[in-house]
Amino acid sequence: MTRHHLEIRIIPRPGLLDPEGKAIHHALDSLGYESVRNVRVGKAIYVDLEAPSSEEAIAEAEAMCRGLLANPVTEDFEIGMASPAAEPGETS
Amino acid sequence: MRLAVVTFPGSNCDYDVYQAIKSVGGVPEFIWHRDAALDSVDAVVLPGGFSYGDYLRAGAIARMSPIMEQVVTFAAGGGPVLGICNGFQILCEAGLLPGALTRNDTLKFESKDVWVRVENADTTFSRDYGQGQALRMPIAHAEGNYYADEETLDSLESGGQVVFRYCDPSGHDGEGWNPNGSARSIAGIRNEAGNVLGMMPHPERAVEEVLGSVDGLGVFTSLLRQLSPAAA
C-alpha cells in the first residue's frame, strides 16, 4: 500500500448560473483586467489515501465524488495527483 | 398523531417546528440524528438550520446521518416527510426530491417575508389551502435557488409536483418577487408519489398572529388531517 495525494476539483456545470464567478468577474473588471471573458468558481479537496496503485486511488476517489463530494445535478469533478509538498495542512 | 422532528447538529428551527405541530394538536417528538430508529411515528419533519455548518454543500453531510437511512425507508413506504429550508436541501441531497438548491442569485443571505402561491392544493401538505391562494411566509437562506434540468422541471410542472411558487402579494407572477433566482420561481415541490414535500419558506414561522402571519398553519393542519381524516 502506498500513500497517494489526490487533488479533487469540483466544478459547477457549464451553463449553470455561477453568481460568485460573476461577482469576481465584475471585480476583476474594476481592477482593470478587461481581457477576462469568464470566471467560474469551484473548489479543490485534497485527500490522502492508501491504495495499492494510483489507478486504484483514483478509482476510489471517483466513487467518493459520486457518493458525496460532488452533486451530480450541478457539479462535475476532476481528479489529479497532487504533489505532497503543495498540500496545505500537512505537517512534516 | 406522532410527528418526528429530526435534529441535526446545526438545526435551528426544530423548536419552532415542534411548537407549530403542538399548536395544531399534533404530538411532536424530537429525534436526534444519530438515532437509528424511527419508532412508530406517523410523519417526519426535517427542520431548517445549518446542519454541519453547510460544509461541502448545504444538506450534503446531514444526508449521511444514521437517521436518514430510516427516513428514506419511511418515505419509500409512503410515510409523509416534510423538509423545510435546510430540510428541503437535505431531501434533495438524499435523492428523495429531484434537483438541487444552489446559491441565491443575489449572492446574499435572504431573510425576509415572501409570498408564495399554492400551485397544487390537492396534496398531503396543502389540502387546507385554496388552489391559487397567496401565502405570506418568511425565508432565511443563502442556498435556495432551485435548479433542475428543463426536462425535470417540465415533468414537475406536468405532474402537479410544484406545490408552492413565489409570487406577488396578489398571487400573480411578477418581476422581482422571486427572491433567489429559483427556476420557474419554484418555492416548494413534492415527489411523484406525493408523500414527500420540500419547501424553502418557513411555515413554522407563520403560525401565530404575533409572528405577523398565520399563513403557514395550513401546512401542518393539512398534514394532520391527512393522518387522521376522522378527526378533521
Side-chain angles (χ1 to χ4, degrees):
Chain A
M1 291 297 236
T2 322
R3 191 165 182 191
H4 299 272
H5 308 274
L6 301 179
E7 184 186 85
I8 299 169
R9 290 180 293 277
I10 311 289
I11 307 140
R13 285 268 163 78
L16 200 83
L17 182 79
D18 177 11
E20 193 173 356
K22 221 161 129 186
I24 294 171
H25 191 171
H26 282 304
L28 288 172
D29 262 352
S30 31
L31 255 182
Y33 292 106
E34 285 160 13
S35 56
V36 177
R37 293 292 166 265
N38 190 29
V39 179
R40 299 188 72 69
V41 179
K43 64 185 130 196
I45 301 172
Y46 297 89
V47 175
D48 288 2
L49 60 86
E50 304 279 345
S53 68
S54 54
E55 288 75 23
E56 283 167 79
I58 288 174
E60 199 161 10
E62 278 173 1
M64 291 178 200
C65 286
R66 277 190 287 271
L68 172 67
L69 301 179
N71 183 332
V73 180
T74 54
E75 297 169 326
D76 292 320
F77 60 85
E78 290 170 358
I79 299 164
M81 304 306 276
S83 132
E87 269 179 69
E90 183 86 335
T91 48
S92 50
Chain B
M1 288 296 129
R2 292 174 63 217
L3 283 81
V5 181
V6 180
T7 303
F8 298 94
S11 295
N12 65 6
C13 301
D14 40 350
Y15 280 81
D16 300 60
V17 169
Y18 187 98
Q19 201 54 42
I21 292 168
K22 224 167 122 180
S23 75
V24 297
V27 181
E29 190 177 315
F30 287 124
I31 306 264
W32 181 234
H33 76 113
R34 295 193 74 86
D35 291 347
L38 272 178
D39 289 330
S40 61
V41 298
D42 301 295
V44 175
V45 185
L46 305 184
F50 301 86
S51 58
Y52 295 92
D54 280 349
Y55 287 172
L56 192 61
R57 295 179 305 277
I61 297 182
R63 193 260 286 190
M64 302 295 173
S65 286
I67 196 67
M68 283 309 293
E69 208 173 302
Q70 297 301 309
V71 173
V72 169
T73 308
F74 180 76
V81 178
L82 166 64
I84 301 164
C85 196
N86 191 217
F88 184 10
Q89 295 161 340
I90 295 169
L91 290 174
C92 287
E93 284 286 343
L96 287 174
L97 290 173
L101 292 146
T102 61
R103 185 76 71 92
N104 294 346
D105 68 346
T106 58
L107 275 181
K108 290 181 191 145
F109 184 93
E110 296 290 348
S111 179
K112 60 184 180 191
D113 278 6
V114 297
W115 290 88
V116 296
R117 185 171 64 230
V118 180
E119 296 287 88
N120 185 349
D122 185 24
T123 81
T124 301
F125 309 90
S126 61
R127 51 190 290 194
D128 281 355
Y129 293 121
Q131 183 76 21
Q133 190 180 340
L135 312 171
R136 190 176 137 198
M137 290 182 207
I139 55 165
H141 60 247
E143 282 95 13
N145 182 347
Y146 184 74
Y147 171 83
D149 59 38
E150 285 298 309
E151 199 183 321
T152 305
L153 292 171
D154 287 342
S155 96
L156 286 173
E157 300 272 10
S158 63
Q161 290 179 247
V162 177
V163 180
F164 299 112
R165 201 188 307 266
Y166 299 111
C167 63
D168 72 13
S170 67
H172 296 97
D173 294 328
E175 194 72 26
W177 293 97
N178 177 347
N180 51 29
S182 285
R184 305 194 191 176
S185 295
I186 286 172
I189 55 168
R190 66 167 173 80
N191 65 346
E192 224 175 310
N195 62 310
V196 178
L197 177 91
M199 62 190 296
M200 287 314 295
H202 287 274
E204 81 282 8
R205 296 189 195 175
V207 293
E208 289 177 41
E209 288 296 350
V210 72
L211 297 172
S213 169
V214 292
D215 291 353
L217 274 174
V219 170
F220 300 99
T221 56
S222 297
L223 178 55
L224 279 190
R225 203 147 69 86
Q226 171 85 17
L227 293 172
S228 54

